[in-house]
Amino acid sequence: MSESRHLPPEALDAWLAAAAAKLDLDPGAVDIATVLNVARDVAHEVARPAAPLSTLLLGIAVGRAAAEGEDAATALSERAAAITALAESWRER
């Protein structure tokens, strides 16, 4: 039986650097706290399985915006706020 492992918060920078390098991405374009906050908000307000789906969609949207010339940090911040707002209003549906 495999043992569940949890990555301590201080190790996220190292994981981000390694994963970004593997995917040929700039780790500096990722604000870990923003991504984790979106995942948390969606998990609590919508459903846990919606969290990884939402962060994938967030990444795709940020990548598209950056490809169109928008600053990646701004794109991440704005789109994260939009997803969080949607999650917060989700129970009203």
Side-chain angles (χ1 to χ4, degrees):
M1 178 189 278
S2 69
E3 197 174 304
S4 177
R5 297 186 331 170
H6 296 280
L7 189 62
E10 60 273 9
L12 287 176
D13 289 332
W15 171 251
L16 172 61
K22 184 61 96 173
L23 298 172
D24 195 27
L25 297 171
D26 174 16
V30 179
D31 181 338
I32 294 171
T34 298
V35 175
L36 293 178
N37 288 342
V38 167
R40 177 201 61 216
D41 294 342
V42 170
H44 289 144
E45 300 297 333
V46 181
R48 286 183 69 183
L53 175 60
S54 299
T55 56
L56 171 65
L57 294 173
L58 177 61
I60 292 169
V62 170
R64 180 181 299 151
E68 294 174 358
E70 190 174 338
D71 175 67
T74 301
L76 176 60
S77 177
E78 290 175 355
R79 280 138 184 98
I83 292 294
T84 296
L86 178 62
E88 289 171 349
S89 69
W90 192 251
R91 292 192 183 202
E92 298 170 5
R93 293 179 184 247

